[in-house]
Amino acid sequence: MDDLQTRKDDALEAIAAAANPDALEALRVEALGKQGWVSQLLKTLGKMTPEERTEKAPVIQQARAEIADAIAARKQAIDDAELNERLATETLDLSLPAPETPRGTVHPVSQVMDELAEIFADLGFAVKTGPEVEDDWHNFTALNMPESHPARAMHDTFYFPDHDDDGRRMLLRTHTSPVQIRTMVNEGAPVRIIAPGRVYRSDSDATHTPMFHQVEGLVIDRDIHLGHLKWTLETFLKAFFERDDIVLRLRPSYFPFTEPSVEVDVGFEVVKGRRVLGGSGDAPGHAWMELLGSGMVNRRVIEFAGLEPDEWQGFAFGVGVDRLAMLKYGMDDLRAFFDGDIRWLQHYGFSPFDQPTLSAGVGASA
Ligand code: PHE
């Protein structure tokens, strides 16, 4: 028993002096581990006479409890010391200037596309995309522009030298209208979508760039007529320009893929050298500007897309996104959109925190 007392005192002393968690763990194993000396002593209890056991058991249990408590206490002390040391060295200098906020801005084209998605989502339209590298069947033929059609020449198409596996000529899409075909072919009817994206034409001056952006709209359902088209465009343009006095004029026009086709003009006036939409183009001081092309989807197109034209009808429209951005936010040179000039982006760009929402007003503050 004296021996036990000595070993225990030695152990307690060593534990109190343990410098780190590893040393402490070694001491724990030495005493309380499966092969530890305290555990070994506890095992001897089984072989003792009852009298002997009554006498020794409490002493051994007591030693085990004291050692376990000492280990726990030392562990806490080591942890506390470590934390205090960290707190003392890890200082935070609150007088340092805050880090710079991100400098990037959202490009007006992206902003306008987000605004369009928001407005049309509210009208129940889904957003669809299609490939920019298209084949001539989706870009032309299925849109009722056969090989020899003069409208193909009007599109100033960029062609690739290759053909795809079906022998179709590959090109950069000249408009977003092929997404009409892809959507009808893939999903059937009814359809209610917009399709924003890049389009390409070999053309370049202050109002034309070889790459620009369009948004296509397509509605296919039963008994759709021009009235639905006009209401939809009016509702969209009022929401987009955030003015109730937007006035449209529908003029007969021609596109191979719509019949009848209508060119849509919108009334505007010039205020401080800037074109501002609103009011009838026939009102004093006002004029009309051509804004977009649209019409009732040609029944040949519905057939090409694999739908039954006697059952399904609809309307489509296509509008330049860059032009919408210029009109709404007052830029006058389209080429600046694609220069990537940081000063232009800082001036006309939008904060990434300014997500357009209908409830907050889709036209976030520039
Ligand atoms: N795709 C036509 C263009 O790029 C626009 C358009 C789309 C016209 C849909 C009518 C219907 O000029």
Side-chain angles (χ1 to χ4, degrees):
M1 276 292 115
D2 281 354
D3 185 38
L4 171 59
Q5 185 66 40
T6 315
R7 291 195 79 171
K8 187 186 79 180
D9 289 345
D10 287 352
L12 291 177
E13 203 177 307
I15 288 165
N20 54 53
D22 287 345
L24 193 58
E25 173 62 8
L27 290 167
R28 188 193 66 76
V29 171
E30 191 183 313
L32 305 181
K34 261 209 187 97
Q35 305 302 324
W37 62 269
V38 178
S39 309
Q40 295 302 322
L41 275 180
L42 282 168
K43 276 188 202 153
T44 62
L45 291 177
K47 291 175 203 118
M48 292 177 188
T49 63
E51 294 75 26
E52 212 181 352
R53 192 180 302 133
T54 323
E55 186 201 334
K56 291 198 172 156
V59 183
I60 301 173
Q61 302 283 17
Q62 168 78 18
R64 189 180 64 167
E66 274 180 54
I67 291 173
D69 287 351
I71 290 173
R74 184 65 196 143
K75 170 125 184 43
Q76 187 64 52
I78 291 173
D79 287 352
D80 288 352
E82 211 173 89
L83 179 63
N84 283 331
E85 196 182 330
R86 277 229 317 272
L87 289 175
T89 52
E90 277 178 19
T91 52
L92 188 62
D93 183 353
L94 293 176
S95 66
L96 281 174
E100 254 181 69
T101 46
R103 292 275 201 95
T105 58
V106 175
H107 195 285
V109 168
S110 303
Q111 181 77 14
V112 165
M113 285 188 177
D114 287 348
E115 293 177 16
L116 296 173
E118 185 69 15
I119 291 167
F120 278 101
D122 191 51
L123 301 176
F125 285 62
V127 175
K128 293 283 163 198
T129 54
E132 290 167 30
V133 176
E134 257 298 3
D135 58 70
D136 67 353
W137 188 81
H138 286 93
N139 195 82
F140 290 128
T141 313
L143 288 161
N144 196 33
M145 281 183 268
E147 198 82 41
S148 57
H149 201 287
R152 284 203 183 197
M154 280 162 45
H155 276 217
D156 301 310
T157 312
F158 289 111
Y159 283 100
F160 289 97
D162 325 318
H163 294 236
D164 74 358
D165 295 341
D166 299 323
R168 291 171 181 169
R169 215 165 161 201
M170 300 304 287
L171 45 81
L172 288 173
R173 68 176 179 191
T174 58
H175 50 179
T176 42
S177 300
V179 185
Q180 289 188 33
I181 306 297
R182 290 185 175 274
T183 306
M184 285 188 273
V185 168
N186 291 335
E187 298 172 20
V191 171
R192 208 186 293 175
I193 58 133
I194 57 165
R198 296 192 180 97
V199 301
Y200 302 82
R201 291 182 202 178
S202 177
D203 203 352
S204 193
D205 60 37
T207 53
H208 297 89
T209 47
M211 186 279 289
F212 57 106
H213 301 84
Q214 286 189 332
V215 64
E216 193 83 7
L218 174 69
V219 168
I220 298 286
D221 211 320
R222 296 185 167 91
D223 304 321
I224 297 293
H225 54 71
L226 267 181
H228 296 120
L229 169 63
K230 188 174 186 219
W231 181 88
T232 303
L233 291 176
E234 230 163 49
T235 304
F236 144 52
L237 292 169
K238 283 178 180 172
F240 179 75
F241 288 107
E242 295 176 275
R243 289 181 70 125
D244 268 337
D245 62 347
I246 298 288
V247 182
L248 302 187
R249 181 176 73 176
L250 272 52
R251 262 184 308 116
S253 182
Y254 174 77
F255 298 102
F257 32 91
T258 47
E259 185 60 40
S261 301
V262 283
E263 199 82 55
V264 177
D265 299 338
V266 56
F268 74 97
E269 61 185 319
V270 176
V271 182
K272 291 191 200 124
R274 238 187 95 175
R275 291 170 154 211
V276 176
L277 299 197
S280 161
D282 295 329
H286 284 64
W288 296 107
M289 83 169 85
E290 201 179 297
L291 191 60
L292 57 91
S294 63
M296 302 308 295
V297 180
N298 192 313
R299 53 181 292 129
R300 305 248 311 137
V301 171
I302 293 179
E303 261 167 17
F304 270 118
L307 296 176
E308 172 51 63
D310 287 328
E311 189 181 355
W312 302 105
Q313 301 81 41
F315 64 79
F317 60 87
V319 51
V321 173
D322 316 274
R323 205 162 128 67
L324 286 178
M326 290 170 84
L327 283 171
K328 181 164 179 179
Y329 295 113
M331 302 83 148
D332 50 17
D333 192 340
L334 178 63
R335 289 170 297 195
F337 276 62
F338 310 111
D339 286 343
D341 186 326
I342 194 82
R343 291 161 304 179
W344 188 89
L345 286 167
Q346 236 126 51
H347 184 78
Y348 289 110
F350 295 83
S351 161
F353 303 114
D354 249 342
Q355 284 296 310
T357 59
L358 281 180
S359 54
V362 282
S365 47

